């Protein structure tokens, strides 16, 4: 999809395109391209994964998935074990990560702190496990909680424009600003499409549902479409929809878009800074 990059507060950025395996989607296409063949040692039957995902925590521990933005506005995450289920964001501890590995800090001083700012049910692991949206901060041992200045674009270390946005929203809190945001995305066939952080093409650019080396029928039958001949990738769109609802996010709808393999979801209405935070968590769920 096309669109300018956004920030935590604005939520203006569009998702990078996603790549799907024709084998897992069952679209019936075949190819002789060796890059499309998935080696057996890179896959694991989902039934095996489900067996272990269903295991209970022996002592009531909870898994908290901390989510934040890296140096190129990409999503990052890692998991922390908590002794019990948190009741609110205030129960979540500040954590840290290696900022030199996310292009947000030099190797000689790489620690970056994660401050939890929002919490949602984890739809992958299920309740009581949680997703934790975080802001990034420089460490400062002399400040409360060890948190220094926010990691903001002015330092050329992207990741926390949310902190500045929060201060702006506080000034207009009495106005109770509402936001509704729509996001469009396109699914692609393997091999992995799109570009890297420098804009270099990664591989094939065949949208899901397009004929190999050709074009689909003209625009017309795909928007808000019904049927396997018009709607490509519905399983992904529906799974994402359910995951967002299970997480407690304000997703207000989905629909097929004007191109085969293209979908849209809508967020809101959201109040103030909530819109930007939920937008990034919805993107996280779709990419996962």
């Amino acid at each position: 999809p096309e669109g300018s990059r956004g920030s935590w507060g604005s939520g203006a950025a569009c998702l990078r395109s996603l790549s799907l395996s024709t084998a897992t989607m069952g679209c019936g296409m075949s190819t002789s391209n060796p890059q499309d063949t998935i080696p057996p040692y890179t896959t694991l039957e989902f039934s095996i994964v489900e067996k272990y995902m269903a295991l209970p925590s022996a002592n009531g521990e909870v898994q908290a998935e901390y989510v934040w933005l890296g140096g190129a506005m990409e999503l990052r995450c890692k998991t922390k074990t908590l002794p019990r289920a948190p009741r609110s964001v205030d129960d979540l501890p500040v954590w840290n990560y290696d900022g030199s590995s996310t292009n947000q800090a030099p190797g000689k001083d790489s620690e970056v702190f994660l401050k939890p700012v929002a919490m949602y049910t984890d739809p992958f692991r299920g309740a009581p496990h949680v997703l934790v949206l975080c802001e990034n901060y420089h460490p400062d041992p002399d400040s409360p909680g060890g948190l220094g200045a926010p990691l903001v674009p002015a330092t050329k270390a992207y990741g926390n424009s949310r902190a500045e946005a929060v201060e702006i929203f506080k000034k207009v809190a009495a106005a109770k600003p509402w936001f509704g945001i729509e996001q469009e995305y396109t699914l692609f066939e393997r091999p992995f499409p799109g570009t890297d952080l420098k804009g270099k093409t990664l591989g094939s650019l065949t949208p899901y549902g397009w004929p190999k080396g050709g074009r689909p029928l003209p625009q017309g039958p795909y928007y808000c479409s019904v049927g396997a001949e018009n709607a490509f990738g519905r399983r992904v769109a529906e799974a994402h929809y359910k995951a967002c609802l299970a997480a407690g996010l304000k997703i207000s709808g989905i629909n097929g878009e004007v191109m085969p393999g293209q979908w849209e979801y809508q967020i809101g209405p959201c109040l103030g800074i909530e819109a930007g935070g939920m937008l990034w968590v919805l993107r996280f769920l779709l990419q996962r």
Side-chain angles (χ1 to χ4, degrees), residues 87-117:
R87 292 170 294 181
S88 69
V89 171
D90 295 334
D91 293 335
L92 295 164
V94 171
W95 206 9
N96 63 348
Y97 67 95
D98 173 17
S100 68
S101 297
T102 61
N103 296 311
Q104 292 173 302
K108 62 181 180 181
D109 186 17
S110 64
E111 187 175 40
V112 178
F113 278 8
L114 291 170
K115 176 187 175 182
V117 295

Side-chain angles (χ1 to χ4, degrees), residues 197-215:
L197 299 180
K198 296 182 179 179
K200 181 180 178 182
T201 300
L202 296 179
S204 170
L205 291 174
T206 302
Y208 189 65
W210 284 43
K212 293 286 186 179
R215 294 178 178 272

Side-chain angles (χ1 to χ4, degrees), residues 18-192:
L18 304 180
S19 175
L20 297 177
S21 164
T22 57
T24 58
M25 291 301 295
C27 68
M29 296 181 179
S30 62
T31 176
S32 58
N33 188 336
Q35 288 182 312
D36 287 342
T37 302
I38 306 175
Y41 51 81
T42 64
T43 63
L44 181 64
E45 289 291 336
F46 190 66
S47 59
I48 299 176
V49 179
E50 282 187 307
K51 172 184 176 181
Y52 293 98
M53 293 295 289
L55 292 175
S57 300
N59 299 305
E61 298 93 343
V62 168
Q63 293 166 276
E65 191 78 12
Y66 279 49
V67 180
W68 71 95
L69 291 181
M73 301 294 284
E74 81 284 6
L75 285 157
R76 303 273 180 161
C77 68
K78 67 175 187 174
T79 312
K80 186 177 186 67
T81 302
L82 304 178
R84 64 188 65 86
R87 292 170 294 181
S88 69
V89 171
D90 295 334
D91 293 335
L92 295 164
V94 171
W95 206 9
N96 63 348
Y97 67 95
D98 173 17
S100 68
S101 297
T102 61
N103 296 311
Q104 292 173 302
K108 62 181 180 181
D109 186 17
S110 64
E111 187 175 40
V112 178
F113 278 8
L114 291 170
K115 176 187 175 182
V117 295
M119 181 177 69
Y120 309 95
T121 299
D122 187 339
F124 302 108
R125 297 182 173 117
H129 310 294
V130 294
L131 300 177
V132 182
L133 183 67
C134 299
E135 288 184 3
N136 333 49
Y137 283 83
H138 295 287
D140 184 352
D142 298 324
S143 298
L147 296 177
L151 202 66
V152 296
T155 64
K156 296 183 179 180
Y158 287 88
N160 189 3
S161 55
R162 184 185 185 279
E164 183 180 1
V166 167
E167 296 305 313
I168 295 173
F169 278 115
K170 285 180 180 178
K171 296 177 182 178
V172 296
K176 297 183 179 180
W178 282 16
F179 293 91
I181 304 172
E182 67 175 38
Q183 294 279 276
E184 296 181 8
Y185 61 96
T186 300
L187 306 174
F188 283 83
E189 300 279 2
R190 284 182 179 270
F192 306 106

